[in-house]
Amino acid sequence: MFNISKFTKPTWLSVSWLGLMLFLAVFGSLLPFKSWKFVYENDLGVVPFSPGHILGTDNNGYDLLVSLVAGTRMSVFIAITAVSLGGLIGSALGITAAFVRGKVDTVMSTVFNVGLAVPNLVLALALVSVLATNVDINQAVPTWRRVMVLIISLTIVLIPILGRIARGATLSWSGRDFVTAARSMGMRDRKIIMKHIVPNVLPALIAVAFLAVGVVIIAEASLSILGVGIPDGASWGGMIARGRNDLEYSPHVLYIPIIVLAITVISTNHLGDVIRASLDRRESKV
Amino acid sequence: MNSLLSIKDLNVSFDTPRGMLEAVRNVDIEIAAGMSVGIVGESGSGKTVLSRAAMGLLQGSNVHRTGTVVFDGHELTAMTRPEVRSHFGTGMAMIFQDPMTALNPVRRIGAQISESLIFRLGMSKKDALKRSLELLQLVRIPDAKSMLRKFPYQLSGGMRQRVMIAIAISCNPKLLFADEPTTALDVTVQAQILQLLRELREDLGMAMVLVTHDLGVVAGNTDYVAVMYAGQVVEFSPTTKLFADMRMPYTEALLESIPKIDHPAGKRLLAIAGRLPDPTDRGSGCSFAPRCRYSQAKCLEESPTLKTDPDGHLYRCLFPIGEAL
Amino acid sequence: MAGSGIAHMRNSTDVVLTVRDLVVEFRLGKDRVVRAVSGLSFDVVKGEVLAIVGESGCGKTTLGRAILQLPPPNSGEVIFEGTDLTQLPKENLRSARTAIQMIFQDPISSLDPRMTVKQLIDEPLEIWQRGDEQERSVRINELLNNVGLDSELVLDRHAYEFSGGQCQRISIARALALDPRMLICDEPVSALDVSIQAQIINLLQDMHDRYGLSIIFISHDLAVVKAISNRVMVMYLGKICEVAPPEILYAKPAHHYTRALLNSVPIPDPTRQTRTELLQGEPPSPMNPPTGCRFRTRCAASSVLCTQEEPQLREVSPGQFVACHHPII
Ligand SMILES: Nc1ncnc2c1ncn2[C@@H]1O[C@H](COP(=O)(O)OP(=O)(O)OP(=O)(O)O)[C@@H](O)[C@H]1O
Ligand SMILES: Nc1ncnc2c1ncn2[C@@H]1O[C@H](COP(=O)(O)OP(=O)(O)OP(=O)(O)O)[C@@H](O)[C@H]1O
Ligand code: SF4
Ligand code: SF4
Ligand SMILES: [Mg+2]
Ligand SMILES: [Mg+2]
């Protein structure tokens, strides 16, 4: 489907950047860093490119490079998990609905439309605040539970987005005669879906999944800024949230995670577009 | 001649894994307002690519196009894509060959027709829907009202094709490219649609390029015919002249291969032997030579150029029919 | 039930397919029903090529699919080789269906673009475990050669790399893989150009002769139909108008719609453009078909009787059956 030799410069940059992010997320913990919570008491608010602290430190003495690596792990983990789960559930629902048609489809598409009508952030906010509160207000919610809740909420946000794409693509593919042909050959429905529908729908879904990664990363950051994300700053959003307080004296504390986040989102969007464009080309040949 | 569309020395090739595919070669066509030109030829001869290139619809990094296309005084080949697109609908419109993939499967028919009315003509949504209904009636769709609310999969093949036609004529284009507009229709509806297109030409002065492989349709609906073979126009003449006095051996073979209604029942059909030459390998000599019943040794060496009869009849053959050897 | 009559049904032991009172309706919303096929009956004898022609939207495709139970008809019988397919449980239907295969109008959309030719033709063989890999591979080569494709050259290529005519050959090879006894061809050549049309029709004719297939050939090209069929059935709005062998039907059509159809065939000769008698009027809605004769709203010969009573099929000349109160004779 892709012709690597035809990649343009922005495409190469996007691929390299996302590769780097992925590398940091997976192998970041193996790098010879101290814990991101280690406080350099003598280096508070150091500017970037200082000896020992390439990206500087914040006003609490946290090394920003180390924080960033830890944040990358969390943000990327949340994004990939939520998009995979959302994609899996959404496409299962969307494909089934479109393949079966009838009442199931009507119900499903109504559900998707309602889900899409509510703005992403509002939905995520509502879900997080419902799911992530403790009965005892004074007791802090543990981080792992926050993360779980965040992933679940973002997954729920993504289901209608990806589900609708899957449904649309399935409608268009299952109307083709090769599906009827497969039936007349005696193929079972389940196998038709797995063999003829899913592989054809998948490329469109992957294109949208890239865009969805961007959506999730931004949503996670926004939630953190609103104070309902990951509380103690282990994600990009968390870093931005904390950096806000340091804006006056150490603006880099805010800019660094914002820049990283922006480049990542631009890269995923760009790759999503590239995939979509190559799909359109393939489609026009079919 | 005051031409509406003027195509000069148009070449289109595609960069494919197997090499350069020359889909359209050295085509010159002039179309005046209100004129109807038929393009006939075998599958793969470049009819669709020619009409898409003329409309500026071919895009992508693997497309190479040279030559000029001038529409209504504007040189399309020098325009950006959005500029070209601004001529769609009201200037040029196209009936696409494949109605199944050209319609959006998840949108209702009414919405798909009214879209361009709202967008191009600035109609209100209500007016656009009303006009959509009229258009559907115009293309003879039974029960047009309920059709507005249907999805493409609920339509028969012929109905989808008629919806495409309704969309194409919705903004009264000056030039209509009709790429096999009636292949999925039965003959009675086909006759009605062709009459509708004829009326649009007579009443609104619409010009039409009718791409088809049905020489019967060409006979009754066009002023001129261009016969294409292997990306080239191999014969061009007024329609009546072409049928009465064809010069190209290929045109003759094409006409022979049409199943005819006065053919005896159960008799085997005549097919043109062989097939189109490989479009990525344009060798020397006449492209039709391997299949031509009149071919001579010279045909394998020399590529015939376009010759003109005094009456404007063009053909590309070294030994045309009706000429003593 | 008021069908279109059964005078044309044959009481022979050679009958392979009998369709009786077939009704297919599509429900759109609460009380809106599209009556696509309304009480059709016909039969096909072994080795026969039955052509079905008719106006666009009259239910030809729906009829073809209903025979295969895709989707099953609302009522009626589809008896293939003695078994009523409408009564079969799902699992038996799955295997019974393989004896009838379908060829579609759009050759490209009937082949999965992601699969190679080898995978496409192997698919039916694999579902039914026809032989091990080696045997299937031999069979695939044989099928491809039979439809005039060089298996060496095509096996590993994808459908979209082929022209429409080649795709149609691949579809035919795939349809023949399970040794069907009947083919339903739904406008198999209307998307192809003339020179290829002739090749595909001739190929179908050869396959018909070689395998003794019965064929239901749906088409709107009356010239093609004339070349291939033994019997022609003309449909209008879900009903039968006329059934006759092609020699008779083309020479002296008895139904007014058949005549309109024949008059509309474009003639490839600019000097013989008659342009007479275009069929007038709107086609009626299949949701609310006219009473009596369904063609009466557009028929020049219609009478009061035509509005009141549905004409039944009757034999007007040997082998020619027509459902009309005032046939042309
Ligand atoms: N996007 C593309 N990329 C590569 N090759 C293409 C592309 N579009 C068309 N071609 C090739 O260009 C040639 C001409 O194709 P075209 O679609 O114009 O034929 P046509 O005359 O319209 O045939 P048909 O009657 O089947 O529609 C063919 O060999 C085709 O394979
Ligand atoms: N899935 C569906 N839902 C609703 N209506 C349908 C559906 N499929 C077909 N129809 C309707 O049934 C009628 C018959 O359609 P069918 O496709 O059988 O026509 P056809 O004779 O094959 O026409 P054509 O020659 O144009 O292919 C049409 O009115 C069509 O709109
Ligand atoms: S140039 Fe020769 S081969 Fe070509 S069409 Fe004429 S006679 Fe035939
Ligand atoms: S029954 Fe009456 S309306 Fe119907 S075709 Fe015959 S004459 Fe015409
Ligand atoms: Mg074409
Ligand atoms: Mg059909």
Side-chain angles (χ1 to χ4, degrees):
Chain A
M1 181 161 78
F2 302 107
N3 189 346
I4 293 194
S5 66
K6 289 236 173 93
F7 275 13
T8 56
K9 234 183 227 137
T11 311
W12 275 119
L13 286 176
S14 306
V15 169
S16 320
W17 177 264
L18 292 182
L20 176 68
M21 291 299 108
L22 210 58
F23 173 82
L24 291 182
V26 177
F27 298 108
S29 55
L30 302 180
L31 294 176
F33 290 153
K34 294 210 162 78
S35 154
W36 69 274
K37 285 192 171 166
F38 184 86
V39 176
Y40 293 87
E41 287 170 18
N42 303 326
D43 304 327
L44 298 184
V46 167
V47 295
F49 306 113
S50 309
H53 305 291
I54 299 176
L55 295 180
T57 60
D58 67 8
N59 289 353
N60 301 320
Y62 291 149
D63 181 280
L64 281 180
L65 177 63
V66 180
S67 297
L68 201 64
V69 170
T72 303
R73 186 160 62 218
M74 184 57 86
S75 288
V76 170
F77 170 72
I78 292 177
I80 289 185
T81 316
V83 170
S84 314
L85 283 176
L88 223 56
I89 300 172
S91 52
L93 294 176
I95 290 175
T96 315
F99 194 79
V100 179
R101 284 198 183 138
K103 285 214 183 65
V104 183
D105 188 33
T106 318
V107 172
M108 223 47 249
S109 50
T110 314
V111 170
F112 288 162
N113 285 335
V114 169
L116 284 171
V118 184
N120 293 339
L121 203 57
V122 175
L123 185 57
L125 200 59
L127 286 164
V128 171
S129 41
V130 170
L131 297 173
T133 43
N134 240 341
V135 196
D136 179 0
I137 309 169
N138 297 320
Q139 207 176 329
V141 181
T143 306
W144 66 264
R145 189 166 150 207
R146 281 267 187 188
V147 173
M148 292 296 291
V149 167
L150 209 56
I151 288 176
I152 292 172
S153 314
L154 292 170
T155 302
I156 293 175
V157 169
L158 286 177
I159 287 174
I161 299 179
L162 293 160
R164 208 162 79 143
I165 299 292
R167 175 175 174 269
T170 307
L171 273 184
S172 127
W173 286 103
S174 66
R176 308 245 172 149
D177 292 330
F178 64 79
V179 172
T180 313
R183 282 212 175 107
S184 77
M185 282 176 231
M187 195 181 264
R188 291 191 171 84
D189 281 354
R190 197 173 328 140
K191 191 152 178 217
I192 293 180
I193 292 184
M194 295 315 288
K195 204 165 164 196
H196 290 297
I197 304 286
V198 172
N200 281 307
V201 168
L202 209 53
L205 269 179
I206 290 174
V208 180
F210 268 95
L211 304 180
V213 168
V215 170
V216 168
I217 288 177
I218 291 179
E220 182 265 329
S222 316
L223 291 175
S224 296
I225 293 167
L226 293 171
V228 292
I230 319 261
D232 37 5
S235 73
W236 293 340
M239 288 178 72
I240 296 171
R242 271 186 305 129
R244 267 187 319 185
N245 310 326
D246 299 351
L247 187 56
E248 210 170 323
Y249 302 108
S250 325
H252 65 273
V253 177
L254 182 59
Y255 293 153
I256 286 172
I258 287 183
I259 289 169
V260 170
L261 186 148
I263 298 179
T264 308
V265 172
I266 291 170
S267 300
T268 55
N269 283 4
H270 175 72
L271 281 190
D273 285 343
V274 168
I275 296 176
R276 195 143 52 170
S278 82
L279 267 183
D280 288 346
R281 258 203 305 288
R282 193 181 65 124
E283 274 288 279
S284 66
K285 253 185 256 161
V286 171
Chain B
M1 188 166 60
N2 194 359
S3 72
L4 178 66
L5 180 79
S6 147
I7 299 175
K8 286 221 168 61
D9 199 22
L10 186 70
N11 285 277
V12 182
S13 42
F14 298 100
D15 204 352
T16 69
R18 283 183 300 139
M20 261 318 190
L21 188 154
E22 298 180 12
V24 168
R25 300 186 286 163
N26 313 92
V27 171
D28 294 279
I29 291 182
E30 298 268 328
I31 296 171
M35 189 165 129
S36 164
V37 176
I39 301 184
V40 297
E42 267 166 275
S43 188
S45 55
K47 307 182 295 291
T48 299
V49 172
L50 172 62
S51 28
R52 284 181 168 247
M55 270 191 85
L57 275 174
L58 281 179
Q59 36 191 259
S61 53
N62 67 334
V63 183
H64 301 271
R65 184 184 64 178
T66 61
T68 54
V69 178
V70 177
F71 173 73
D72 209 10
H74 308 275
E75 187 178 337
L76 298 184
T77 29
M79 285 185 187
T80 62
R81 233 179 266 153
E83 283 172 337
V84 174
R85 231 176 266 147
S86 69
H87 290 282
F88 290 173
T90 51
M92 303 181 276
M94 186 159 193
I95 301 174
F96 290 95
Q97 187 170 4
D98 181 359
M100 185 63 188
T101 42
L103 289 173
N104 183 340
V106 292
R107 296 189 61 205
R108 294 182 199 277
I109 300 298
Q112 301 200 39
I113 304 178
S114 37
E115 187 173 58
S116 63
L117 293 169
I118 296 170
F119 187 59
R120 297 271 168 224
L121 303 183
M123 283 193 185
S124 72
K125 198 167 169 204
K126 202 166 145 226
D127 289 346
L129 272 177
K130 213 170 118 216
R131 175 79 184 132
S132 306
L133 183 64
E134 288 167 15
L135 284 164
L136 286 177
Q137 283 158 347
L138 216 54
V139 294
R140 307 277 166 181
I141 289 214
D143 203 16
K145 199 153 194 172
S146 73
M147 193 59 59
L148 289 175
R149 303 213 18 94
K150 285 191 184 173
F151 291 101
Y153 79 89
Q154 295 172 317
L155 271 56
S156 79
M159 290 172 178
R160 281 188 211 129
Q161 198 156 34
R162 279 175 277 173
V163 170
M164 287 296 308
I165 296 172
I167 293 174
I169 63 173
S170 62
C171 302
N172 295 331
K174 288 187 194 145
L175 173 62
L176 179 70
F177 284 93
D179 195 355
E180 314 264 3
T182 56
T183 36
L185 301 179
D186 72 284
V187 284
T188 59
V189 179
Q190 167 172 295
Q192 289 167 338
I193 294 286
L194 291 171
Q195 192 186 18
L196 169 72
L197 294 177
R198 218 161 25 231
E199 283 165 10
L200 286 173
R201 289 209 322 273
E202 281 158 15
D203 302 348
L204 305 171
M206 179 182 83
M208 177 166 80
V209 174
L210 183 66
V211 177
T212 175
H213 51 243
D214 190 335
L215 283 165
V217 170
V218 164
N221 293 281
T222 58
D223 309 323
Y224 287 84
V225 191
V227 180
M228 284 191 80
Y229 187 77
Q232 289 176 317
V233 171
V234 293
E235 186 158 19
F236 185 84
S237 108
T239 310
T240 39
K241 177 99 196 318
L242 183 88
F243 282 89
D245 179 22
M246 55 185 66
R247 311 302 304 271
M248 271 305 286
Y250 175 64
T251 313
E252 184 186 62
L254 198 62
L255 192 64
E256 273 172 9
S257 70
I258 320 176
K260 286 172 208 71
I261 192 97
D262 37 20
H263 195 85
K267 189 157 172 267
R268 231 177 145 72
L269 299 168
L270 281 173
I272 310 180
R275 53 173 115 148
L276 281 173
D278 182 353
T280 56
D281 178 22
R282 303 283 188 215
S284 62
C286 172
S287 317
F288 188 55
R291 306 165 75 184
C292 179
R293 72 172 71 131
Y294 304 103
S295 89
Q296 312 272 327
K298 197 175 163 202
C299 303
L300 296 171
E301 290 151 20
E302 192 178 321
S303 304
T305 50
L306 214 52
K307 282 184 237 165
T308 317
D309 275 356
D311 54 0
H313 186 153
L314 303 175
Y315 52 90
R316 203 183 275 275
C317 175
L318 298 170
F319 305 102
I321 302 169
E323 212 160 85
L325 288 179
Chain C
M1 116 159 247
S4 292
I6 51 164
H8 61 302
M9 307 279 280
R10 288 158 293 195
N11 214 345
S12 137
T13 48
D14 277 349
V15 170
V16 279
L17 176 78
T18 308
V19 171
R20 252 194 225 110
D21 276 334
L22 194 78
V23 176
V24 186
E25 293 173 346
F26 297 102
R27 197 161 276 283
L28 300 172
K30 271 170 251 88
D31 40 30
R32 301 189 310 145
V33 177
V34 178
R35 296 171 209 284
V37 176
S38 313
L40 265 190
S41 305
F42 65 91
D43 53 14
V44 180
V45 296
K46 190 165 166 30
E48 182 176 54
V49 181
L50 172 72
I52 302 181
V53 299
E55 183 156 71
S56 173
C58 71
K60 305 181 294 292
T61 299
T62 309
L63 170 63
R65 289 181 184 228
I67 294 172
L68 277 166
Q69 315 294 305
L70 292 168
N74 297 52
S75 68
E77 296 171 2
V78 177
I79 300 165
F80 182 72
E81 294 178 344
T83 325
D84 187 350
L85 300 184
T86 59
Q87 301 300 320
L88 280 184
K90 205 173 170 190
E91 204 47 26
N92 299 9
L93 176 63
R94 216 164 61 82
S95 62
R97 216 150 40 195
T98 60
I100 311 177
Q101 288 291 301
M102 197 151 177
I103 313 272
F104 300 89
Q105 173 175 5
D106 183 350
I108 295 169
S109 118
S110 60
L111 303 172
D112 189 334
R114 306 184 54 87
M115 292 166 71
T116 62
V117 172
K118 185 180 164 84
Q119 290 165 338
L120 283 166
I121 303 196
D122 191 35
E123 186 162 53
L125 299 172
E126 195 208 320
I127 296 174
W128 296 99
Q129 291 295 314
R130 295 282 170 89
D132 58 28
E133 204 144 321
Q134 174 85 40
E135 289 161 347
R136 299 209 305 260
S137 166
V138 172
R139 176 95 174 115
I140 294 170
N141 286 341
E142 180 193 313
L143 285 163
L144 284 171
N145 290 334
N146 285 351
V147 296
L149 290 172
D150 187 342
S151 55
E152 294 275 299
L153 289 178
V154 302
L155 273 180
D156 297 315
R157 292 166 66 190
H158 294 264
Y160 56 80
E161 298 175 52
F162 294 101
S163 68
Q166 287 172 313
C167 287
Q168 207 59 301
R169 285 175 193 267
I170 297 167
S171 306
I172 294 174
R174 179 180 62 179
L176 293 174
L178 293 173
D179 302 309
R181 264 94 66 203
M182 173 173 274
L183 279 189
I184 299 177
C185 306
D186 188 1
E187 313 208 8
V189 296
S190 63
L192 306 177
D193 76 276
V194 270
S195 62
I196 318 274
Q197 265 184 14
Q199 292 171 9
I200 297 294
I201 296 293
N202 290 343
L203 172 66
L204 281 171
Q205 192 96 59
D206 291 343
M207 297 297 122
H208 166 259
D209 297 344
R210 177 183 308 197
Y211 298 107
L213 294 171
S214 311
I215 296 183
I216 294 182
F217 189 90
I218 299 171
S219 177
H220 52 246
D221 188 331
L222 291 152
V224 167
V225 161
K226 190 173 180 187
I228 194 171
S229 66
N230 311 121
R231 206 176 200 217
V232 184
M233 179 165 116
V234 183
M235 277 177 74
Y236 185 80
L237 213 61
K239 298 251 184 202
I240 300 176
C241 299
E242 185 163 2
V243 183
E247 314 84 57
I248 301 180
L249 190 94
Y250 287 71
K252 50 178 200 66
H255 197 281
H256 299 271
Y257 176 64
T258 315
R259 191 173 63 172
L261 208 55
L262 288 170
N263 279 342
S264 309
V265 175
I267 302 158
D269 181 350
T271 56
R272 276 170 57 208
Q273 298 300 313
T274 43
R275 223 167 269 180
T276 48
E277 311 180 49
L278 270 192
L279 197 52
Q280 294 305 316
E282 295 286 309
S285 158
M287 280 193 235
N288 187 14
T291 55
C293 173
R294 291 197 169 185
F295 187 56
R296 73 174 160 82
T297 51
R298 303 166 82 188
C299 178
S302 98
S303 68
V304 182
L305 179 63
C306 305
T307 62
Q308 291 164 345
E309 205 175 298
E310 177 165 5
Q312 299 289 309
L313 276 166
R314 59 195 164 102
E315 192 161 17
V316 289
S317 74
Q320 183 177 29
F321 301 84
V322 61
C324 173
H325 293 304
H326 316 290
I328 312 160
I329 351 174

